[in-house]
Amino acid sequence: MQKQAAKPPYVTIIVSLHETVAPDKKAALLLAEKAIQEAGDFLRSMYPKEEASLLHSLQGLLDDFDRHYDLTAEGLGFYVSPGYSKLVKFCFPVQKKVEIGDSFALRELLYLEHYSISYMVLHVDEKAAHCYKGHLNSLEEVNDGVFPRYFHDDYEYSKPARASSYSGQTAIQGFEGDKSANEANRLKSFYRETDQMLSAYLEDQPLIVTGPQKDISLLQEVSVHEKNIIATINGNYANVTVKALEDRVWPALRSWIDDTQQSTMLQLIQEEWQQHVVDGMRDVWTAVKEGRGQRLIVEKDYTCPAFLDDKTGKLHMRKTRKTQNIVMDAVEKVLRLAIEKGGEIVFVNNGTLDDHGHISLITRY
């Protein structure tokens, strides 16, 4: 985006749709219009020459959202500069933001990448197996001649031979029990074959299995992909819309990503990387600026105003006598700096790094 948007000013507007009581198009549009008006007030005083064209671009993005309203969006990102405009829909909660400066705000975009992993969904029931490719909160069904697969139990069961009146009911019960067991075995064989065919699509991706509990259990008994399964969701979704399935799958995936990232990073900080951890905004800034940052770990919504020394480039948390630039959000600055220096960004839930100043850096040395 920064390469395509070649010149300032860069306008970033983040709209939180969580402020609406319920998913409502009119309320969402009203929130976005208010944010655009706020940006217009800033542009009028700061960039009067560019105001008209930038507001026109923002209105164009809003009109596009109006035409293609997305009920699943939890937030919107408007990114506009001279000759460039882009609308991003966020499938996670965001906080309202209106910024105009020499670059786009990138925290929300980085957080979107935090969730942008490929995954698979397998729905099983006693009639069929459906496979889906997933990305964020969107699913695309695999329909290539291999999937979906249908279970046809065409095995001919031998009826019980004629028995005396004393043993008739026992014989029928025995037949029904044998038939039920045979059906379960044949269904298990169907799931074993399905699991084998899934290998060509799955590789090392996370897998979510949905379906009635008995069918999920049968699949898990024969699956060689148990290590890939990150969640199971009980319920028959064979005859519902893909949207209904997406609504059940996405929260499970998002929770797994958050929990996995969080536990892994805390373990690194507290156990394995004790000699290579820097905590707190000021020390993290210094280490990143020196090029020592390997992995920057920050709470999702942590912001931090600060003061930047013009001469030394050092960051101060309080104003000093020396001439300084006010940095409204030092976290945004250090995120960008870490990327420029080749570092990795990892987000964790708010409050996770309370004992580390809300931001930590695993250093290269």
Side-chain angles (χ1 to χ4, degrees), residues 265-283:
M265 289 304 103
L266 283 177
Q267 183 179 3
L268 283 173
I269 293 172
Q270 295 171 358
E271 297 176 12
E272 299 180 27
W273 291 82
Q274 278 293 344
Q275 304 303 317
H276 299 282
V277 174
V278 176
D279 291 335
M281 188 70 246
R282 186 179 61 184
D283 293 339

Side-chain angles (χ1 to χ4, degrees), residues 192-258:
R192 184 180 288 108
E193 294 170 1
T194 299
D195 186 70
Q196 291 171 351
M197 293 179 177
L198 184 64
S199 298
Y201 305 84
L202 187 60
E203 297 178 345
D204 292 327
Q205 298 177 78
L207 173 65
I208 296 176
V209 181
T210 65
Q213 187 56 55
K214 63 179 181 66
D215 294 282
I216 293 176
S217 298
L218 284 176
L219 175 76
Q220 289 181 302
E221 284 182 31
V222 299
S223 178
V224 298
H225 300 113
E226 193 69 22
K227 64 180 177 61
N228 296 81
I229 299 176
I230 62 169
T232 59
I233 300 175
N234 186 19
N236 197 331
Y237 300 96
N239 298 313
V240 301
T241 63
V242 174
K243 170 66 172 59
L245 184 59
E246 290 170 344
D247 289 345
R248 292 303 308 274
V249 166
W250 170 237
L253 179 78
R254 194 165 80 181
S255 177
W256 175 79
I257 292 174
D258 288 342

Side-chain angles (χ1 to χ4, degrees), residues 66-344:
D66 187 7
R67 289 191 298 269
H68 306 97
Y69 177 67
D70 186 353
L71 191 67
T72 66
E74 296 188 52
L76 301 175
F78 296 82
Y79 300 88
V80 169
S81 69
Y84 179 84
S85 64
K86 185 176 182 65
L87 175 67
V88 178
K89 298 173 185 177
F90 299 112
C91 47
F92 49 82
V94 295
Q95 294 186 345
K96 179 190 172 184
K97 178 185 295 182
V98 177
E99 291 187 6
I100 301 172
D102 57 2
S103 61
F104 289 126
L106 55 85
R107 181 194 298 253
E108 292 76 17
L109 296 172
L110 290 174
Y111 203 66
L112 186 64
E113 288 197 359
H114 165 79
Y115 289 122
S116 295
I117 66 171
S118 297
Y119 63 99
M120 301 294 295
V121 175
L122 182 67
H123 180 77
V124 292
D125 58 46
E126 60 184 9
K127 296 180 180 179
H130 295 264
C131 183
Y132 302 83
K133 295 179 179 179
H135 180 255
L136 295 173
N137 62 340
S138 178
L139 296 178
E140 179 184 357
E141 183 169 7
V142 176
N143 198 335
D144 59 359
V146 177
F147 284 101
R149 303 190 70 237
Y150 297 95
F151 177 64
H152 302 288
D153 191 12
D154 52 5
Y155 182 81
E156 293 186 5
Y157 298 97
S158 299
K159 294 184 178 181
R162 182 181 296 275
S164 68
S165 59
Y166 298 102
S167 61
Q169 187 61 35
T170 302
I172 292 173
Q173 290 175 347
F175 164 70
E176 294 295 341
D178 290 343
K179 181 180 179 182
S180 177
N182 285 333
E183 286 176 343
N185 287 333
R186 289 176 60 76
L187 189 58
K188 191 180 293 187
S189 295
F190 171 73
Y191 288 149
R192 184 180 288 108
E193 294 170 1
T194 299
D195 186 70
Q196 291 171 351
M197 293 179 177
L198 184 64
S199 298
Y201 305 84
L202 187 60
E203 297 178 345
D204 292 327
Q205 298 177 78
L207 173 65
I208 296 176
V209 181
T210 65
Q213 187 56 55
K214 63 179 181 66
D215 294 282
I216 293 176
S217 298
L218 284 176
L219 175 76
Q220 289 181 302
E221 284 182 31
V222 299
S223 178
V224 298
H225 300 113
E226 193 69 22
K227 64 180 177 61
N228 296 81
I229 299 176
I230 62 169
T232 59
I233 300 175
N234 186 19
N236 197 331
Y237 300 96
N239 298 313
V240 301
T241 63
V242 174
K243 170 66 172 59
L245 184 59
E246 290 170 344
D247 289 345
R248 292 303 308 274
V249 166
W250 170 237
L253 179 78
R254 194 165 80 181
S255 177
W256 175 79
I257 292 174
D258 288 342
D259 291 346
T260 301
Q261 288 270 32
Q262 193 146 314
S263 60
T264 301
M265 289 304 103
L266 283 177
Q267 183 179 3
L268 283 173
I269 293 172
Q270 295 171 358
E271 297 176 12
E272 299 180 27
W273 291 82
Q274 278 293 344
Q275 304 303 317
H276 299 282
V277 174
V278 176
D279 291 335
M281 188 70 246
R282 186 179 61 184
D283 293 339
V284 165
W285 173 273
T286 300
V288 170
K289 194 171 179 61
E290 293 172 353
R292 295 193 287 124
Q294 178 175 333
R295 186 176 286 119
L296 179 62
I297 308 164
V298 61
E299 291 181 0
K300 174 181 178 288
D301 295 315
Y302 175 54
T303 59
C304 179
F307 301 89
L308 191 60
D309 192 300
D310 286 337
K311 295 181 179 180
T312 65
K314 289 184 177 181
L315 196 74
H316 298 273
M317 309 318 294
R318 296 180 180 177
K319 186 173 178 60
T320 66
R321 293 181 181 179
K322 296 180 180 180
T323 303
Q324 295 169 340
N325 293 319
I326 299 175
V327 181
M328 298 305 296
D329 185 4
V331 177
E332 184 79 23
K333 292 285 188 182
V334 82
L335 287 171
R336 186 178 302 279
L337 188 58
I339 293 173
E340 291 172 357
K341 299 284 187 177
E344 176 188 351

